[in-house]
Amino acid sequence: MKLSYEGLKEREAWEKAGVRLPKYDWRAMCERTEEAPVWVHFGAGNIFRGFIAGLHQRLLNEGLADSGIVAAETFDYDIIDRIYEPHDSMTLMVSLCPDGGTQKEVIASIAKGIKADSSDQGQWTALKKIFENPSLQMVSFTITEKGYAIADLQGSLMKVVQEDMEQGPEKARHAMSVVAALMYARYQAGGAPVALVSMDNCSHNGEKLKTSVLAVVKAWRKRELVLREFEDYMEDETRVSFPWTMIDKITPRPAESIEQHLREAGIEDMAPVITSRNTYIAPFVNAEIPQYLVVEDRFPGGRPQLSKAGVYLTTRETVNMTERMKVTTCLNPLHTALAVYGCLLGYTSIAAEMKDEELKKLVEHIGYDEGMPVVTDPGIINPRDFIHEVIDQRLPNPFIPDTPQRIATDTSQKVTIRFGETIKSYMADSELDVKSLTCIPLALAGWLRYLMGVDDEGESMAVSPDPMLTQLQEQLAAVTFGEPDSCRGQLKDILCNPVIFGVNLYEAGLAEKVEAMFLEMIAGPGAVRETLKKYV
């Protein structure tokens, strides 16, 4: 059996293998998308294929939509060539049950994948044509938080963005410039309304998208590379909206065990590939079953019937509360704490960490005891029910092949939200004492200890990629494992940096606690474990 339009004609074989198939006419869906596109999505990776495209499949299956999604890729064009094209843009979704079982479904709601590459005239013209069509209602994004950044850590514009601003729409290369250029094509074609919807896992994602796109638009306007009225169009949220969202679903890298399972079921060509941009991706997506998408209901040109697919449509305030609940308390900080300590203690599985008495206590204390007092109940999802599901069902699922090494990536970009927001909330609440926090400082100390690249046995350890890694490791260079006295003032420049933590930890009254915990963890082999036992 092959994953493609022709391959699905062996319907009986697929169903015998326990795979659910689309209930709609795929060819008709593709033709309708070509005539009247409704939805474009930037970011052709796993969270899109395994979650968002799956939502739209429900609408197609139930006759609530007749066109599909166009997937646009701005970063890794190999994904289109090596994953989308050979399989007619279809994905085999494998949902991983806590009992070890799987639920398999062919997701065929993506009409086509396209390269958002202004240097490829054919692809660029095709994408512009889609944006020029007034039928387009929404443009969504899962390009990671880094995809919205147009400046470096010093606040200077990235070289590619500066060049985009100077050269204008037709030579756009950065993702935010590409979006601005395509929106200019839409404006010139009549300026029909549309929603630009970030679905990335970051705070105030719609605001980040709007700020970056408008920065490019304003630079072009200043250089008279676009019409003045285009800037007005982009700033008018009755015509172009930037809704906020909260998304939650764990989609780890493709697992070898799942590839083998599919091969044994008779499904061919499921092997993962590593692209020229080092993306590890497969024709299948393996992921947990729980999933949440909360979207601010602001769509000036209409939208698909998302609520019928399980999406929460609500207000910006509710989205913000739900996002804060997840990102600052109920999931993301727990993930980060497990990631850094898991690497230090030699774990390669998040689920295995949850069997570790000290690590389970650590995340329970961070979530239930230290985070919950400053959580606002969003009303649509109960915070205690959510964190209970995370700690007792989702993270311990042994069949989710997720690793602390993956979660530890880009931690410097995450701690300000995942821990800094809770610290700031304590500082702002007259009834709470920020100095009472113990396990959040312990998580921060663990991260700094992790950055040394030495595990708890004193052996060299790989550290996951991070845009601040070189800078942070240079600041820790004088610290020597087994010699606590070597750390005298080495942490000061890090702990006082509000860019990293959201606050100056000295002003918060927590820096000394973090320093003390860090000193305990560099004392020698086994010191990380002993420090955990002491505080949790």
Side-chain angles (χ1 to χ4, degrees), residues 96-101 289 393 397-399:
L96 307 172
C97 306
D99 63 1
I289 293 175
Q393 299 174 39
N397 185 341
F399 302 100

mmCIF file of all heavy atoms in Angstrom, residues 96-101 289 393 397-399:
data_model
loop_
_atom_site.group_PDB
_atom_site.id
_atom_site.type_symbol
_atom_site.label_atom_id
_atom_site.label_comp_id
_atom_site.label_asym_id
_atom_site.label_seq_id
_atom_site.Cartn_x
_atom_site.Cartn_y
_atom_site.Cartn_z
ATOM 1 N N LEU A 96 -1.120 7.931 19.333
ATOM 2 C CA LEU A 96 -0.510 6.978 20.259
ATOM 3 C C LEU A 96 -1.308 6.899 21.554
ATOM 4 O O LEU A 96 -1.349 7.857 22.321
ATOM 5 C CB LEU A 96 0.927 7.407 20.532
ATOM 6 C CG LEU A 96 1.788 7.636 19.279
ATOM 7 C CD1 LEU A 96 3.123 8.254 19.650
ATOM 8 C CD2 LEU A 96 1.983 6.337 18.507
ATOM 9 N N CYS A 97 -1.917 5.768 21.783
ATOM 10 C CA CYS A 97 -2.761 5.580 22.970
ATOM 11 C C CYS A 97 -1.908 5.201 24.181
ATOM 12 O O CYS A 97 -0.864 4.552 24.035
ATOM 13 C CB CYS A 97 -3.792 4.479 22.715
ATOM 14 S SG CYS A 97 -4.802 4.749 21.233
ATOM 15 N N PRO A 98 -2.345 5.570 25.389
ATOM 16 C CA PRO A 98 -1.574 5.242 26.598
ATOM 17 C C PRO A 98 -1.392 3.744 26.829
ATOM 18 O O PRO A 98 -0.481 3.340 27.535
ATOM 19 C CB PRO A 98 -2.407 5.869 27.717
ATOM 20 C CG PRO A 98 -3.186 6.957 27.060
ATOM 21 C CD PRO A 98 -3.488 6.438 25.686
ATOM 22 N N ASP A 99 -2.263 2.899 26.218
ATOM 23 C CA ASP A 99 -2.139 1.452 26.405
ATOM 24 C C ASP A 99 -1.245 0.802 25.358
ATOM 25 O O ASP A 99 -1.116 -0.429 25.318
ATOM 26 C CB ASP A 99 -3.518 0.794 26.393
ATOM 27 C CG ASP A 99 -4.241 0.955 25.053
ATOM 28 O OD1 ASP A 99 -3.672 1.570 24.117
ATOM 29 O OD2 ASP A 99 -5.385 0.471 24.928
ATOM 30 N N GLY A 100 -0.623 1.626 24.496
ATOM 31 C CA GLY A 100 0.264 1.092 23.475
ATOM 32 C C GLY A 100 -0.397 0.892 22.129
ATOM 33 O O GLY A 100 0.281 0.611 21.132
ATOM 34 N N GLY A 101 -1.707 1.027 22.074
ATOM 35 C CA GLY A 101 -2.402 0.906 20.798
ATOM 36 C C GLY A 101 -2.229 2.152 19.941
ATOM 37 O O GLY A 101 -1.736 3.186 20.398
ATOM 38 N N ILE A 289 -2.971 11.800 21.667
ATOM 39 C CA ILE A 289 -4.365 12.040 21.308
ATOM 40 C C ILE A 289 -4.888 13.377 21.836
ATOM 41 O O ILE A 289 -5.545 14.113 21.090
ATOM 42 C CB ILE A 289 -5.256 10.872 21.786
ATOM 43 C CG1 ILE A 289 -4.896 9.597 20.994
ATOM 44 C CG2 ILE A 289 -6.746 11.209 21.621
ATOM 45 C CD1 ILE A 289 -5.622 8.359 21.450
ATOM 46 N N GLN A 393 -1.507 11.677 32.879
ATOM 47 C CA GLN A 393 -1.849 10.932 31.670
ATOM 48 C C GLN A 393 -0.929 11.230 30.484
ATOM 49 O O GLN A 393 -0.416 10.313 29.850
ATOM 50 C CB GLN A 393 -3.300 11.235 31.271
ATOM 51 C CG GLN A 393 -4.330 10.841 32.318
ATOM 52 C CD GLN A 393 -5.734 11.276 31.947
ATOM 53 O OE1 GLN A 393 -6.143 11.204 30.788
ATOM 54 N NE2 GLN A 393 -6.481 11.756 32.923
ATOM 55 N N ASN A 397 2.809 8.959 29.374
ATOM 56 C CA ASN A 397 2.469 8.016 28.291
ATOM 57 C C ASN A 397 3.752 7.437 27.699
ATOM 58 O O ASN A 397 4.498 8.128 27.006
ATOM 59 C CB ASN A 397 1.670 8.743 27.205
ATOM 60 C CG ASN A 397 1.180 7.795 26.107
ATOM 61 O OD1 ASN A 397 1.691 6.689 25.934
ATOM 62 N ND2 ASN A 397 0.194 8.242 25.341
ATOM 63 N N PRO A 398 4.042 6.159 27.947
ATOM 64 C CA PRO A 398 5.319 5.576 27.500
ATOM 65 C C PRO A 398 5.409 5.400 25.991
ATOM 66 O O PRO A 398 6.488 5.116 25.463
ATOM 67 C CB PRO A 398 5.339 4.217 28.212
ATOM 68 C CG PRO A 398 3.897 3.871 28.378
ATOM 69 C CD PRO A 398 3.196 5.176 28.638
ATOM 70 N N PHE A 399 4.294 5.585 25.323
ATOM 71 C CA PHE A 399 4.299 5.373 23.878
ATOM 72 C C PHE A 399 4.442 6.670 23.089
ATOM 73 O O PHE A 399 4.377 6.666 21.864
ATOM 74 C CB PHE A 399 3.032 4.605 23.479
ATOM 75 C CG PHE A 399 2.925 3.296 24.188
ATOM 76 C CD1 PHE A 399 2.110 3.135 25.300
ATOM 77 C CD2 PHE A 399 3.698 2.209 23.784
ATOM 78 C CE1 PHE A 399 2.042 1.937 25.986
ATOM 79 C CE2 PHE A 399 3.635 0.998 24.461
ATOM 80 C CZ PHE A 399 2.806 0.857 25.560
#
